[in-house]
């Protein structure tokens, strides 16, 4: 059996183990579904009236999708940190299994949570008036792009978990980067009204690229009350979103695996 085949086999076993554990921790599934619904209703009916009305609701959903899967990285952080603290990882390290399997199994199982999040959030979006106006192929591409980004951000969560010294520290550190990353973006508003430094950050933020690309693929235009997005990232949103997700994986996957090997040598 090759190293790659062994990693795939062991990762699939740990992915299934993590999914089974969700049955004993329904709170994680509740958080993954209720939180995006709260943001949909909050932005659609509290802020939406002053931002563009009915047109804003369709514009909103691309940002909600990007924000929801980014926040799901916290499940990777907490789940992996919890395994480390309880000694589960020590038990796995004593077994003849792939070193990649533990982290890959966690990020893959959390991708299933993101699929559930997208399903529930899409149904909520349809109820408030959101519609997929592009082709079926474009819609599939949009969901695939969002899930690729979810997989990429889960490796950020894994890196934080393997660096933190406890679940509490991992939980705090896992939330610190989420709010500025998702809010300093064009997920919910245009970057045109932001001060220059923040505008540049928002325009080049990968969350903005995912939100803009999914809006384009779903056929949801910018409402008349909001400025049209500008700059290279917005004009090439799909390409930039793919490159951003791949870059995050290329950076954080080696960091997480390096940190895991360092823990294994202790």
């Amino acid at each position: 059996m090759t190293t790659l085949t062994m990693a795939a086999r062991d990762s699939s076993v740990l992915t299934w183990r993590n999914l089974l554990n969700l049955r004993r921790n329904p709170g994680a599934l509740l958080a993954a579904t209720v939180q995006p619904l709260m943001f949909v209703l909050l932005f659609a009916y509290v802020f939406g009236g002053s931002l563009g009305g009915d047109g804003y609701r369709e514009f909103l959903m691309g940002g909600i999708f990007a924000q929801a899967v980014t926040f799901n990285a916290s499940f990777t952080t907490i789940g992996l940190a919890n395994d480390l603290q309880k000694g589960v990882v020590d038990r796995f390290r004593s077994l003849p299994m792939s070193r990649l399997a533990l982290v890959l199994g966690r990020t893959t199982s959390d991708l299933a949570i993101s699929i559930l999040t997208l399903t529930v959030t899409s149904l909520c979006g349809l109820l408030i008036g959101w519609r997929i106006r592009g082709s079926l192929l474009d819609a599939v591409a949009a969901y695939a792009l969002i899930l690729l980004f979810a997989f990429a951000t889960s490796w950020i969560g894994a890196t934080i978990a393997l660096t933190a010294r406890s679940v509490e520290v991992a939980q705090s550190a896992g939330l610190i980067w989420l709010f500025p990353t998702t809010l300093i973006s064009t997920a919910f508003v245009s970057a045109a009204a932001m001060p220059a430094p923040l505008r540049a950050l928002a325009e080049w933020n990968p969350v903005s690229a995912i939100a803009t690309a999914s809006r384009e693929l779903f056929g949801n235009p910018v409402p008349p009350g909001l400025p049209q997005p500008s700059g290279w990232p917005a004009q090439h949103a799909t390409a930039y979103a793919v490159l951003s997700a791949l870059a995050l994986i290329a950076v954080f996957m080696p960091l997480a695996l390096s940190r895991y090997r360092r823990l294994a040598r202790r």
Side-chain angles (χ1 to χ4, degrees), residues 157-175:
T159 304
I160 294 172
L162 292 165
T163 304
R165 296 182 180 274
S166 67
V167 175
E168 291 76 14
V169 173
Q171 187 171 9
S172 300
L175 288 175

PDB file of all heavy atoms in Angstrom, residues 157-175:
ATOM      1  N   GLY A 157      -8.008  26.756  10.577  1.00  0.00           N
ATOM      2  CA  GLY A 157      -8.492  26.304  11.878  1.00  0.00           C
ATOM      3  C   GLY A 157      -7.629  25.193  12.446  1.00  0.00           C
ATOM      4  O   GLY A 157      -7.354  25.165  13.654  1.00  0.00           O
ATOM      5  N   ALA A 158      -7.196  24.259  11.590  1.00  0.00           N
ATOM      6  CA  ALA A 158      -6.353  23.159  12.063  1.00  0.00           C
ATOM      7  C   ALA A 158      -5.006  23.681  12.562  1.00  0.00           C
ATOM      8  O   ALA A 158      -4.486  23.211  13.588  1.00  0.00           O
ATOM      9  CB  ALA A 158      -6.146  22.150  10.937  1.00  0.00           C
ATOM     10  N   THR A 159      -4.441  24.649  11.870  1.00  0.00           N
ATOM     11  CA  THR A 159      -3.155  25.220  12.285  1.00  0.00           C
ATOM     12  C   THR A 159      -3.267  25.889  13.647  1.00  0.00           C
ATOM     13  O   THR A 159      -2.396  25.736  14.514  1.00  0.00           O
ATOM     14  CB  THR A 159      -2.660  26.235  11.239  1.00  0.00           C
ATOM     15  OG1 THR A 159      -2.576  25.594   9.964  1.00  0.00           O
ATOM     16  CG2 THR A 159      -1.297  26.788  11.611  1.00  0.00           C
ATOM     17  N   ILE A 160      -4.362  26.625  13.847  1.00  0.00           N
ATOM     18  CA  ILE A 160      -4.579  27.284  15.142  1.00  0.00           C
ATOM     19  C   ILE A 160      -4.733  26.247  16.254  1.00  0.00           C
ATOM     20  O   ILE A 160      -4.168  26.384  17.339  1.00  0.00           O
ATOM     21  CB  ILE A 160      -5.817  28.199  15.067  1.00  0.00           C
ATOM     22  CG1 ILE A 160      -5.557  29.366  14.110  1.00  0.00           C
ATOM     23  CG2 ILE A 160      -6.203  28.723  16.442  1.00  0.00           C
ATOM     24  CD1 ILE A 160      -6.779  30.206  13.815  1.00  0.00           C
ATOM     25  N   ALA A 161      -5.494  25.181  15.981  1.00  0.00           N
ATOM     26  CA  ALA A 161      -5.710  24.141  17.001  1.00  0.00           C
ATOM     27  C   ALA A 161      -4.408  23.468  17.393  1.00  0.00           C
ATOM     28  O   ALA A 161      -4.176  23.183  18.578  1.00  0.00           O
ATOM     29  CB  ALA A 161      -6.693  23.105  16.465  1.00  0.00           C
ATOM     30  N   LEU A 162      -3.542  23.202  16.420  1.00  0.00           N
ATOM     31  CA  LEU A 162      -2.295  22.505  16.703  1.00  0.00           C
ATOM     32  C   LEU A 162      -1.250  23.425  17.332  1.00  0.00           C
ATOM     33  O   LEU A 162      -0.218  22.956  17.819  1.00  0.00           O
ATOM     34  CB  LEU A 162      -1.732  21.901  15.405  1.00  0.00           C
ATOM     35  CG  LEU A 162      -2.579  20.753  14.836  1.00  0.00           C
ATOM     36  CD1 LEU A 162      -2.176  20.456  13.400  1.00  0.00           C
ATOM     37  CD2 LEU A 162      -2.445  19.510  15.696  1.00  0.00           C
ATOM     38  N   THR A 163      -1.510  24.726  17.312  1.00  0.00           N
ATOM     39  CA  THR A 163      -0.596  25.692  17.927  1.00  0.00           C
ATOM     40  C   THR A 163      -1.030  26.052  19.342  1.00  0.00           C
ATOM     41  O   THR A 163      -0.187  26.317  20.205  1.00  0.00           O
ATOM     42  CB  THR A 163      -0.525  26.970  17.068  1.00  0.00           C
ATOM     43  OG1 THR A 163      -0.146  26.612  15.729  1.00  0.00           O
ATOM     44  CG2 THR A 163       0.493  27.956  17.608  1.00  0.00           C
ATOM     45  N   ALA A 164      -2.342  26.068  19.581  1.00  0.00           N
ATOM     46  CA  ALA A 164      -2.865  26.450  20.892  1.00  0.00           C
ATOM     47  C   ALA A 164      -2.516  25.387  21.939  1.00  0.00           C
ATOM     48  O   ALA A 164      -2.307  24.222  21.619  1.00  0.00           O
ATOM     49  CB  ALA A 164      -4.370  26.639  20.824  1.00  0.00           C
ATOM     50  N   ARG A 165      -2.501  25.816  23.195  1.00  0.00           N
ATOM     51  CA  ARG A 165      -2.135  24.907  24.288  1.00  0.00           C
ATOM     52  C   ARG A 165      -3.353  24.305  24.991  1.00  0.00           C
ATOM     53  O   ARG A 165      -3.208  23.459  25.866  1.00  0.00           O
ATOM     54  CB  ARG A 165      -1.265  25.652  25.307  1.00  0.00           C
ATOM     55  CG  ARG A 165       0.064  26.107  24.734  1.00  0.00           C
ATOM     56  CD  ARG A 165       0.901  26.791  25.792  1.00  0.00           C
ATOM     57  NE  ARG A 165       2.188  27.225  25.241  1.00  0.00           N
ATOM     58  CZ  ARG A 165       3.260  26.454  25.158  1.00  0.00           C
ATOM     59  NH1 ARG A 165       3.200  25.220  25.595  1.00  0.00           N
ATOM     60  NH2 ARG A 165       4.388  26.909  24.639  1.00  0.00           N
ATOM     61  N   SER A 166      -4.549  24.786  24.669  1.00  0.00           N
ATOM     62  CA  SER A 166      -5.750  24.238  25.305  1.00  0.00           C
ATOM     63  C   SER A 166      -6.949  24.536  24.410  1.00  0.00           C
ATOM     64  O   SER A 166      -6.864  25.339  23.476  1.00  0.00           O
ATOM     65  CB  SER A 166      -5.961  24.866  26.688  1.00  0.00           C
ATOM     66  OG  SER A 166      -6.265  26.239  26.553  1.00  0.00           O
ATOM     67  N   VAL A 167      -8.068  23.884  24.737  1.00  0.00           N
ATOM     68  CA  VAL A 167      -9.290  24.131  23.959  1.00  0.00           C
ATOM     69  C   VAL A 167      -9.732  25.580  24.111  1.00  0.00           C
ATOM     70  O   VAL A 167     -10.176  26.214  23.146  1.00  0.00           O
ATOM     71  CB  VAL A 167     -10.411  23.174  24.426  1.00  0.00           C
ATOM     72  CG1 VAL A 167     -11.714  23.489  23.715  1.00  0.00           C
ATOM     73  CG2 VAL A 167     -10.015  21.727  24.174  1.00  0.00           C
ATOM     74  N   GLU A 168      -9.604  26.111  25.323  1.00  0.00           N
ATOM     75  CA  GLU A 168     -10.049  27.489  25.579  1.00  0.00           C
ATOM     76  C   GLU A 168      -9.253  28.490  24.743  1.00  0.00           C
ATOM     77  O   GLU A 168      -9.814  29.413  24.147  1.00  0.00           O
ATOM     78  CB  GLU A 168      -9.908  27.823  27.068  1.00  0.00           C
ATOM     79  CG  GLU A 168     -10.862  27.088  27.986  1.00  0.00           C
ATOM     80  CD  GLU A 168     -10.465  25.641  28.220  1.00  0.00           C
ATOM     81  OE1 GLU A 168      -9.316  25.280  27.887  1.00  0.00           O
ATOM     82  OE2 GLU A 168     -11.297  24.875  28.725  1.00  0.00           O
ATOM     83  N   VAL A 169      -7.916  28.280  24.716  1.00  0.00           N
ATOM     84  CA  VAL A 169      -7.075  29.178  23.916  1.00  0.00           C
ATOM     85  C   VAL A 169      -7.396  29.018  22.428  1.00  0.00           C
ATOM     86  O   VAL A 169      -7.497  30.002  21.679  1.00  0.00           O
ATOM     87  CB  VAL A 169      -5.583  28.882  24.171  1.00  0.00           C
ATOM     88  CG1 VAL A 169      -4.704  29.684  23.216  1.00  0.00           C
ATOM     89  CG2 VAL A 169      -5.228  29.196  25.607  1.00  0.00           C
ATOM     90  N   ALA A 170      -7.576  27.779  21.985  1.00  0.00           N
ATOM     91  CA  ALA A 170      -7.894  27.535  20.576  1.00  0.00           C
ATOM     92  C   ALA A 170      -9.219  28.179  20.192  1.00  0.00           C
ATOM     93  O   ALA A 170      -9.354  28.753  19.113  1.00  0.00           O
ATOM     94  CB  ALA A 170      -7.947  26.028  20.310  1.00  0.00           C
ATOM     95  N   GLN A 171     -10.204  28.095  21.100  1.00  0.00           N
ATOM     96  CA  GLN A 171     -11.508  28.672  20.816  1.00  0.00           C
ATOM     97  C   GLN A 171     -11.423  30.190  20.678  1.00  0.00           C
ATOM     98  O   GLN A 171     -12.010  30.782  19.770  1.00  0.00           O
ATOM     99  CB  GLN A 171     -12.493  28.307  21.930  1.00  0.00           C
ATOM    100  CG  GLN A 171     -13.928  28.708  21.648  1.00  0.00           C
ATOM    101  CD  GLN A 171     -14.884  28.136  22.679  1.00  0.00           C
ATOM    102  OE1 GLN A 171     -14.459  27.575  23.695  1.00  0.00           O
ATOM    103  NE2 GLN A 171     -16.165  28.251  22.428  1.00  0.00           N
ATOM    104  N   SER A 172     -10.665  30.815  21.585  1.00  0.00           N
ATOM    105  CA  SER A 172     -10.515  32.275  21.516  1.00  0.00           C
ATOM    106  C   SER A 172      -9.725  32.684  20.270  1.00  0.00           C
ATOM    107  O   SER A 172     -10.131  33.593  19.537  1.00  0.00           O
ATOM    108  CB  SER A 172      -9.800  32.776  22.768  1.00  0.00           C
ATOM    109  OG  SER A 172     -10.535  32.462  23.927  1.00  0.00           O
ATOM    110  N   ALA A 173      -8.597  32.000  20.043  1.00  0.00           N
ATOM    111  CA  ALA A 173      -7.778  32.350  18.879  1.00  0.00           C
ATOM    112  C   ALA A 173      -8.517  32.058  17.572  1.00  0.00           C
ATOM    113  O   ALA A 173      -8.340  32.760  16.575  1.00  0.00           O
ATOM    114  CB  ALA A 173      -6.469  31.557  18.918  1.00  0.00           C
ATOM    115  N   GLY A 174      -9.364  31.029  17.596  1.00  0.00           N
ATOM    116  CA  GLY A 174     -10.099  30.670  16.387  1.00  0.00           C
ATOM    117  C   GLY A 174     -11.162  31.671  16.015  1.00  0.00           C
ATOM    118  O   GLY A 174     -11.613  31.705  14.856  1.00  0.00           O
ATOM    119  N   LEU A 175     -11.601  32.488  16.998  1.00  0.00           N
ATOM    120  CA  LEU A 175     -12.634  33.490  16.708  1.00  0.00           C
ATOM    121  C   LEU A 175     -12.040  34.855  16.400  1.00  0.00           C
ATOM    122  O   LEU A 175     -12.679  35.666  15.730  1.00  0.00           O
ATOM    123  CB  LEU A 175     -13.586  33.608  17.907  1.00  0.00           C
ATOM    124  CG  LEU A 175     -14.544  32.434  18.129  1.00  0.00           C
ATOM    125  CD1 LEU A 175     -15.333  32.633  19.411  1.00  0.00           C
ATOM    126  CD2 LEU A 175     -15.501  32.280  16.952  1.00  0.00           C
TER     127      LEU A 175
END
